[in-house]
Amino acid sequence: MELFAEKRILTVSQLSALVKDVLEENFEQVWVEGEVSNLATPQSGHIYLTLKDAGAQLKCVLFRAAARSLRFKIRDGMRLIVRGRISVFAQRGDYQLIAEYLEPQGIGALQLAFLQLKERLAREGLFAEANKKPIPRLPRRIGVVTSPTGAAIHDILTMLDRRFANIEVLLIPVKVQGEGAAVEIASAIRDFNLYRDVDVLIVGRGGGSLEDLWAFNEEIVARAIASSRIPVISAVGHEIDFTIADLAADLRAPTPSAAAELVITSKAELTTLVQTLEHRLGRAAAGLIAGLKSRVGMAQASLRDPAMLIGQLGQRVDFMQERMSSLLGRMLARHTDRLSALIEMLRLRSPGRAVEHGREQLQNLVARRDQAVQRRMDHLRETMARRTGALDALSPLATLARGYSLAQREKDGLIVRSSDQLAVGDRLRLRLHRGSAGCLVETVEPAVADQGSA
């Protein structure tokens, strides 16, 4: 209040700095309860949110260092109890709560983290029963991941010695609580899978608070157990304690001692079981032998005189030989006939036979051709004779033979048919039946109409 006793004009920055000092000095540690809204998680790793109730809102920031240690996920609508200090973000003139610790209202932070991780891994199928591996009934070597000085390893070894003395146990010592414990546990499980020849793993520790057991609620441990090719038995805390490791394991043991009981059957129980099985096997073998003896006796009783059996078999052999001879004879005859037919077929289809057949066909064709040529020649001769006779009848020579002559003008060889073709002085050649004669036209008389028509 002294600042405002006299008029003093401040800059905005000066006023903001004064307010910041006042708030940070008087609200260094406050607890605030409210509902989350406007949640933002940028890449810087800081978490920004607003706490609100029915009448007011308060901006809140959780810086990256504090956010890293937060085990549960903040969601809008969640009710939180926040511890922190009030400060001013001068650039915007906002006052805000710088959170240092958060826990959900009505449920512890670890319990909420457990439930959130359990829900997320369950959705991935990390706890699916279908992925559980069977625990070997009689392991040769057992691997243990726990503290070398805790009660768990003592309980496990004591119980194993009691149930099956001399069984081989390999231990990879790890931290089972505190910073880095989860990483060591997960690394030990991977080492067993890579380098150790064991048949089953026990992973656990003795009892403690939820914080003490928290390493077995870490995601890295759950994933190491789920991806182990070696079957894993979880043995964490007491019977009432339940962890994420128990859900991821192939078998949950309520305590480390119980894990030792589950991992191998008692030698005494095995001995009793072997004796019982041996007794049952002996009785079964005796029954089997008795049954076989009975069958052998029945078979012996059914056996007949070997000499008689041999005689009957010999008779059967003779009968079979007779049938075979008969059958072979019929087969031989059938095949002989078949062979003869094939030989005849082959002869008929032989190249020489084909040539001979071709030659016969050729001779027939030649004979038929000669006959056809002869008939044609005869026909032509007859035709020629008829036509020769006709020609002879029409021949001028025949006319000449009957006493006629043929006049032909010598200058151009024209056959003279009319006196109009002649002139006085023309020379003619008369062709007679026998020989010819040259003539000189001395007179020409015109043709008379009726004479021309005659």
Side-chain angles (χ1 to χ4, degrees), residues 134-136 138-143 196-201 229-232:
I135 306 301
L138 190 61
R140 294 171 298 106
R141 191 176 292 114
I142 299 171
R196 310 293 181 178
D197 182 19
V198 298
D199 298 317
V200 62
L201 284 178
R229 64 172 177 78
I230 305 171
V232 175

Side-chain angles (χ1 to χ4, degrees), residues 48-62:
Y48 298 94
L49 56 90
T50 298
L51 286 177
K52 66 179 183 180
D53 57 19
Q57 295 185 356
L58 172 63
K59 291 187 176 180
C60 182
V61 57
L62 186 66

Side-chain angles (χ1 to χ4, degrees), residues 185-230:
I185 294 169
S187 178
I189 294 171
R190 287 194 290 270
D191 287 346
F192 265 116
N193 278 272
L194 291 174
Y195 309 116
R196 310 293 181 178
D197 182 19
V198 298
D199 298 317
V200 62
L201 284 178
I202 297 175
V203 179
R205 56 153 289 157
S209 65
L210 180 58
E211 288 77 5
D212 294 338
L213 304 181
W214 191 252
F216 294 90
N217 285 322
E218 294 282 2
E219 182 174 350
I220 187 174
V221 173
R223 293 194 180 280
I225 292 174
S227 61
S228 173
R229 64 172 177 78
I230 305 171

Side-chain angles (χ1 to χ4, degrees), residues 62-128:
L62 186 66
F63 290 136
R64 181 171 59 185
R68 284 177 176 172
S69 61
L70 195 63
R71 298 186 182 278
F72 63 92
K73 300 291 184 183
I74 303 173
R75 298 191 182 97
D76 281 329
M78 182 181 291
R79 295 194 66 81
L80 293 179
I81 298 174
V82 183
R83 186 196 69 204
R85 55 188 171 85
I86 298 296
S87 182
V88 172
F89 186 54
Q91 285 78 359
R92 289 204 302 259
D94 293 340
Y95 86 95
Q96 62 184 4
L97 175 64
I98 299 177
E100 297 172 348
Y101 173 81
L102 299 88
E103 67 178 33
Q105 188 179 33
I107 184 173
L110 292 181
Q111 185 62 24
L112 180 58
F114 172 84
L115 294 176
Q116 288 180 342
L117 180 60
K118 176 184 174 183
E119 180 183 353
R120 181 159 57 87
L121 296 183
R123 283 199 302 269
E124 292 183 21
L126 214 70
F127 311 143

